Amino acid sequence: MSEFRKISAFDTVNRLFDKAADLLELSAEKRVELTTPYRELMVRLPLLTEDGEVKVYRGYRVQHDNSRGPMKGGIRFHPDADLDEVRALASLMTWKTAVVNLPYGGAKGGIQCNPRELSELDLERLTRRFAQRMEGFIGPREDIPGPDMGTNARVMAWMMDEYSKFHGYSPGVVTGKPLEVGGSEGRLSATGRGLFFAVEQSARAMDLPLEGARVAVQGFGNVGYWAARFLADAGCKIVAVSDVEGTLVCPGGLDIDKLHCIADETGTVMNYEGEDCQRLHRDELFGCDCDILVPAALGGAIHAGNAGDIKARLIAEGANHPTTPEADEILAEKGVTVLPDIYANAGGVTVSYFEWVQNLQQMRWDAERVDKELRQVMEAAFEAIKKASEEFDTDLRTAAFVVAIRRVAEAARLRGLH
Ligand code: NAD
């Protein structure tokens, strides 16, 4: 599974880049320049555990491109984190930050470890050792990590603290921190809220009223829950939700607050009770009757084997690369509109950018300001993607890459050879 995901991620990014680069008639030299990472770091991290054992972990940071500003991207703690995967995700961050026009380049990092098998103290020691190895290469004007799979606000606070020992108090070195040490209002819900703004734009352009629109959501974690919550608040009916345990289908609509409490208390959405609810296998979500589908769990979830079953008119990609290129073709033939991940889930990195701005200015924004600025970013990006899609008569994913590649290529050209 991890092998499939790894190849799929790297392969997908390159295939998508090339499709847009063909439309832009980019030269072979330019393609090499834009896809080659700026710097790749691999470090060894010896850890003396609480149990008295010495273990050596591998840590990575790939800095892909800095033409448009300091590089930005998450740090994941995961057994499958390796250089190939991190490299693919770093390049995806370059295109994601460019499509929403943040003054950033792209990066990604990770430690190959299972954080659930580490004690709190071992996790802190490992994080600090990683920050020690990285401190000369990251920084508020160089590369700004954030949380990703297996890391959280606590880990970011340790990263910030360790970096600050070398460079003085530097909250702007990482984002996704707790509010008490320079985090931003609205960061937790940002990806779901950004996805909601993207759906709003697209639904308007498609003449799909949100009031009463039926929505299915794969995954009820951070992205899935907040996306469902904002869509429900706007009048949508959440008719199906899945998690790792199964799919819950309730054609009359789910009460999202109640579902959230139950999932929180029992660990799964499957314990929700409702009159018209039916329980299915987790993979059966994609065949559900709905108007809008939000994949918010895994990469490669929508593939050639299930894309034909999808009944939604609009898909908003909360997860990273949830749709395989083969599925994309099937969906295009069916006339389904797909809001691509590099746009639809960019709300998280956008509010991370707001956090960094607040840290640099030593100011605090309230939640209202964060939401207002996020809406502006998502609306402007949608307009740019729509325009490119009309200009090249192409789908929104390719159009998003066109917008991103143009911005990065132009910044690189204006700055000259590095
Ligand atoms: P999470 O761990 O909070 O939630 C993941 C959810 O998916 C859980 O409910 C889990 O049970 C469910 N799930 C796992 N395997 C499943 C399967 N086979 N079928 C159905 N459900 C399954 O993760 P998250 O932070 O919500 O992230 C979800 C996706 O969004 C990931 O691909 C992540 O890379 C991407 N993403 C997250 C953010 C963010 O800010 N959290 C930003 C951009 C992209």
Side-chain angles (χ1 to χ4, degrees):
M1 181 62 196
S2 64
E3 192 63 13
F4 164 74
R5 227 176 37 228
K6 185 174 69 186
I7 292 168
S8 165
F10 188 63
D11 202 33
T12 303
V13 178
N14 287 340
R15 279 167 78 169
L16 299 172
F17 174 91
D18 274 333
K19 198 171 166 195
D22 287 346
L23 293 178
L24 290 167
E25 297 177 5
L26 276 196
S27 68
E29 295 75 26
K30 202 79 202 161
R31 290 179 198 221
V32 172
E33 186 192 326
L34 292 177
T35 52
T36 305
Y38 170 83
R39 185 187 279 144
E40 298 187 344
L41 298 160
M42 201 275 279
V43 292
R44 305 266 184 180
L45 307 165
L47 173 75
L48 176 61
T49 66
E50 272 196 280
D51 300 339
E53 261 185 278
V54 177
K55 289 188 182 160
V56 183
Y57 294 88
R58 283 166 191 261
Y60 303 97
R61 186 77 183 162
V62 173
Q63 299 174 332
H64 178 259
D65 190 276
N66 62 2
S67 305
R68 304 181 66 258
M71 294 164 283
K72 181 92 192 86
I75 290 189
R76 58 176 52 179
F77 288 178
H78 196 275
D80 291 341
D82 65 16
L83 193 56
D84 271 352
E85 183 185 59
V86 168
R87 185 186 288 135
L89 293 168
S91 74
L92 207 56
M93 285 307 295
T94 296
W95 313 124
K96 188 181 293 191
T97 52
V99 85
V100 284
N101 214 1
L102 307 179
Y104 282 146
K108 202 84 177 188
I111 300 180
Q112 205 173 70
C113 69
N114 186 346
R116 274 173 298 199
E117 286 173 2
L118 290 166
S119 71
E120 172 97 349
L121 187 63
D122 287 345
L123 197 63
E124 178 173 351
R125 284 181 180 152
L126 188 61
T127 304
R128 288 187 183 276
R129 172 111 338 159
F130 184 61
Q132 286 162 19
R133 297 284 194 274
M134 291 289 154
E135 61 83 19
F137 302 97
I138 60 174
R141 289 190 166 72
E142 180 74 19
D143 176 7
I144 305 129
D148 197 75
M149 275 160 62
T151 55
N152 54 24
R154 194 77 214 280
V155 172
M156 293 303 114
W158 293 328
M159 289 275 302
M160 185 273 277
D161 185 70
E162 196 62 31
Y163 179 88
S164 295
K165 285 182 190 164
F166 293 87
H167 300 273
Y169 183 59
S170 313
V173 67
V174 288
T175 60
K177 300 177 293 294
L179 268 178
E180 294 77 5
V181 287
S184 178
E185 294 287 350
R187 176 63 187 87
L188 200 62
S189 57
T191 306
R193 195 180 280 278
L195 185 137
F196 166 67
F197 291 146
V199 167
E200 235 188 0
Q201 291 300 299
S202 185
R204 192 173 302 136
M206 293 166 67
D207 245 345
L208 169 64
L210 286 187
E211 187 66 46
R214 294 160 312 154
V215 177
V217 183
Q218 186 204 27
F220 201 64
N222 175 283
V223 181
Y225 160 62
W226 286 106
R229 167 88 188 268
F230 294 128
L231 286 163
D233 288 351
C236 293
K237 206 196 293 182
I238 313 300
V239 294
V241 168
S242 69
D243 67 15
V244 74
E245 301 290 332
T247 296
L248 186 71
V249 183
C250 307
L254 285 147
D255 175 337
I256 293 302
D257 286 337
K258 184 174 142 193
L259 182 66
H260 184 53
C261 284
I262 285 166
D264 226 27
E265 278 166 19
T266 70
T268 174
V269 296
M270 298 305 278
N271 292 318
Y272 180 95
E273 297 289 340
E275 265 176 26
D276 63 340
C277 292
Q278 204 190 343
R279 285 170 179 73
L280 304 175
H281 186 269
R282 67 185 185 199
D283 295 340
E284 291 180 276
L285 176 100
F286 296 111
C288 292
D289 241 335
C290 64
D291 304 301
I292 300 170
L293 174 65
V294 181
L298 307 168
I302 303 177
H303 47 75
N306 61 16
D309 302 335
I310 288 174
K311 301 189 176 69
R313 286 175 62 193
L314 175 63
I315 298 179
E317 294 184 338
N320 284 320
H321 57 87
T323 312
T324 66
E326 296 74 26
D328 248 343
E329 281 172 25
I330 297 168
L331 295 170
E333 268 169 37
K334 283 163 63 99
V336 179
T337 300
V338 180
L339 285 172
D341 50 2
I342 59 168
Y343 167 59
N345 72 27
V349 70
T350 302
V351 175
S352 276
Y353 161 62
F354 298 158
E355 179 178 332
W356 177 75
V357 167
Q358 292 169 70
N359 294 154
L360 294 188
Q361 299 183 345
Q362 300 188 32
M363 282 186 58
R364 279 199 180 278
W365 297 3
D366 59 20
E368 212 176 303
R369 174 152 184 209
V370 170
D371 284 353
K372 188 172 144 243
E373 303 261 355
L374 175 59
R375 177 184 278 282
Q376 278 172 10
V377 167
M378 295 305 289
E379 287 182 359
F382 184 76
E383 282 312 310
I385 296 168
K386 195 155 119 301
K387 208 166 142 210
S389 140
E390 286 159 6
E391 182 183 345
F392 290 99
D393 190 21
T394 191
D395 58 278
L396 297 179
R397 190 187 309 282
T398 310
F401 270 83
V402 162
V403 170
I405 293 170
R406 265 183 175 158
R407 285 179 178 157
V408 178
E410 185 58 2
R413 188 188 70 77
L414 289 166
R415 289 182 70 166
L417 285 174
H418 296 273

